[in-house]
């Protein structure tokens, strides 16, 4: 019952505060962008769009979702008993919907409530692992591309940033004893064990597999964006390598709008227009890409969430009911 109250309180908070603020950010940014773009130019861009690239980009949504489901299902294998693939699929898509309006898509951490056979705190910690690998991949790729954009000697700074990220990742397991001591001062042992499940999932094999999944996912959604731009305008691959990862890095750094609408468009315009790419083409491509990779999965997750019913015999179990496989 307490978990249901917490879940309801979270949703109410998002409804009251986050949605309005983030929607306001979208309106402000789009107003700035549209001030510099004639509406008829956007219409013309869509009229001359190449449908083959649009359908190809749309088809990449299948491996996009599949890789995410497989990655989430893989990390859930560290739990015992292992949640079903159906639970992994429903929780992932439902998490898309819950994260749609929350700051930085933090609502996705509520996936735990959609896997009733395990503690939500435990599954939330695994969500951190899942999303963390994506964030690290985006950061490393973005810093690499930023190094290609910046002149010497400024280009050395992103490389140093990459080294810091990699060193931090390799030593993250060292934080477990410190966090355990800290958390034990504020809550009971069972909740601490659940919260630190993420560290149990970070075996060497799991790190390698999750890194592989994350790189594959990154390549898929970056390719989707590149194909969408090609739908509207020719873009050399060399320019795409220098700019598109930086767009994603800016998105990650500024999670202040709904689905990064506006942030992605503004970043893409600022980075691609200097290379001679038409402003209305960049705007149209970025907007359409966001509809495909964010809006469609979120709406699908909302529909699945509306019709999904948990088995009544499943209850959230405490950490003493199952062990973690290392």
């Amino acid at each position: 019952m307490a978990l249901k109250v917490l879940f309801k309180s979270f949703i109410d908070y998002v409804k009251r505060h986050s949605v309005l603020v983030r929607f306001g950010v979208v309106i402000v940014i789009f107003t700035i962008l549209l001030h510099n773009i004639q509406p008829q130019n956007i219409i013309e861009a869509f009229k001359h769009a190449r449908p083959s690239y649009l359908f190809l980009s749309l088809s990449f949504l299948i491996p996009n979702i599949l890789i995410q489901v497989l990655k989430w299902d893989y990390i859930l294998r560290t739990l015992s008993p292992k949640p079903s693939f159906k639970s992994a699929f429903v929780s992932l898509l439902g998490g898309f919907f819950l994260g749609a309006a929350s700051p930085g898509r933090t609502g996705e951490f509520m996936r735990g409530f959609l896997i009733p056979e395990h503690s939500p705190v435990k599954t939330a910690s695994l969500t951190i692992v899942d999303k963390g690998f994506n964030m690290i991949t985006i950061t490393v790729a973005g810093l690499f591309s930023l190094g290609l954009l910046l002149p010497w000697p400024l280009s050395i700074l992103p490389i140093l940033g990459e080294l810091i990220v990699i060193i931090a990742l390799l030593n993250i397991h060292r934080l477990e004893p410190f966090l355990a001591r800290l958390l034990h001062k504020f809550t009971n042992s069972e909740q601490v064990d659940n919260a630190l499940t993420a560290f149990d999932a970070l075996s060497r094999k799991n790190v390698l597999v999750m890194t592989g999944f994350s790189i594959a996912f990154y390549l898929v959604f970056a390719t989707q964006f590149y194909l969408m731009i090609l739908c509207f305008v020719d873009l050399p691959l060399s320019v795409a390598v220098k700019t598109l990862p930086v767009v994603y890095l800016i998105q990650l750094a500024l999670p202040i709008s709904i689905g990064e609408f506006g942030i992605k468009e503004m970043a893409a315009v600022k980075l691609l227009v200097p290379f001679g790419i038409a402003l209305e083409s960049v705007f149209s491509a970025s907007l359409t890409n966001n509809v495909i990779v964010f809006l469609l999965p979120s709406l699908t997750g909302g529909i699945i969430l509306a019709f999904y019913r948990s088995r009544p015999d499943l209850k959230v179990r405490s950490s003493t009911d199952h062990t973690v496989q290392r």
Side-chain angles (χ1 to χ4, degrees):
M1 182 62 68
L3 293 176
K4 290 182 178 180
V5 172
L6 177 62
F7 181 75
K8 186 177 184 301
S9 299
F10 174 82
I11 297 299
D12 289 341
Y13 174 82
V14 168
K15 288 180 178 179
R16 287 197 305 267
H17 302 283
S18 180
V19 175
L20 291 177
V21 173
R22 287 157 67 83
F23 188 68
V25 170
V26 173
I27 292 177
V28 170
I29 296 177
F30 270 77
T31 300
I32 296 173
L33 285 171
L34 293 175
H35 178 72
N36 298 311
I37 308 175
Q38 295 296 324
Q40 59 266 28
N41 290 340
I42 297 176
I43 295 174
E44 284 298 316
F46 275 97
K47 283 183 178 180
H48 293 90
R50 293 175 279 193
S52 58
Y53 285 107
L54 172 62
F55 292 127
L56 189 57
S57 179
L58 186 60
S59 69
F60 266 68
L61 193 58
I62 297 174
N64 181 315
I65 300 298
L66 181 60
I67 292 173
Q68 292 187 77
V69 173
L70 291 175
K71 182 157 71 77
W72 178 230
D73 181 67
Y74 179 84
I75 201 66
L76 288 177
R77 294 179 186 179
T78 57
L79 297 176
S80 180
K82 176 190 173 299
S84 66
F85 185 82
K86 177 184 177 181
S87 293
F89 178 79
V90 171
S91 65
L92 181 78
L93 270 293
F96 290 163
F97 176 74
L98 296 175
S102 56
R105 302 190 188 185
T106 51
E108 287 193 38
F109 294 116
M110 306 303 284
R111 291 181 195 176
F113 288 91
L114 306 177
I115 304 180
E117 61 264 44
H118 287 282
S119 163
V121 176
K122 181 170 290 188
T123 51
S125 71
L126 293 180
T127 305
I128 295 175
V129 174
D130 186 11
K131 290 179 66 65
F133 274 94
N134 287 344
M135 295 170 67
I136 290 170
T137 304
I138 291 171
T139 300
V140 171
L143 289 175
F144 173 80
S145 294
L146 187 60
L148 297 178
L149 281 176
L150 294 175
W152 178 266
L154 292 179
S155 58
I156 197 68
L157 296 178
I159 297 177
L160 293 176
E162 283 189 298
L163 291 176
I164 292 173
V165 171
I166 293 173
I167 292 173
L169 177 62
L170 293 176
N171 290 276
I172 193 171
H173 63 281
R174 300 179 185 275
L175 289 175
E176 183 177 9
F178 169 76
L179 290 176
R181 290 194 299 270
L182 180 65
L183 292 175
H184 273 297
K185 296 179 180 180
F186 300 99
T187 186
N188 60 64
S189 298
E190 180 179 331
Q191 292 300 324
V192 171
D193 292 339
N194 287 337
L196 296 179
T197 299
F199 288 97
D200 294 317
L202 292 176
S203 66
R204 181 173 298 179
K205 176 185 175 182
N206 287 345
V207 168
L208 291 175
V209 173
M210 293 295 287
T211 299
F213 272 126
S214 298
I215 293 174
F217 171 59
Y218 182 86
L219 291 175
V220 167
F221 77 73
T223 301
Q224 277 187 281
F225 193 15
Y226 181 54
L227 290 171
M228 187 55 64
I229 294 176
L230 291 178
C231 176
F232 291 91
V233 64
D234 290 328
L235 177 68
L237 182 59
S238 59
V239 175
V241 171
K242 292 179 182 179
T243 56
L244 300 190
V246 181
V247 171
Y248 287 122
L249 182 63
I250 294 172
Q251 275 188 272
L252 180 64
L254 298 173
I256 56 177
S257 68
I258 297 177
E260 285 76 56
F261 276 100
I263 299 296
K264 185 175 184 178
E265 285 74 20
M266 180 66 80
V269 165
K270 293 296 184 182
L271 288 167
L272 288 173
V273 169
F275 286 94
I277 310 301
L279 192 154
E280 59 271 12
S281 297
V282 177
F283 175 82
S284 301
S286 181
L287 180 61
T288 306
N289 180 252
N290 250 8
V291 170
I292 291 176
V293 302
F294 170 75
L295 200 56
L296 288 182
S298 297
L299 291 176
T300 302
I303 294 172
I304 291 175
L305 206 57
F307 289 96
Y308 177 72
R309 295 291 183 272
S310 300
R311 283 168 47 192
D313 58 313
L314 290 177
K315 297 180 181 179
V316 176
R317 302 176 184 178
S318 67
S319 61
T320 58
D321 292 332
H322 27 64
T323 58
V324 177
Q325 299 173 349
R326 294 181 183 270

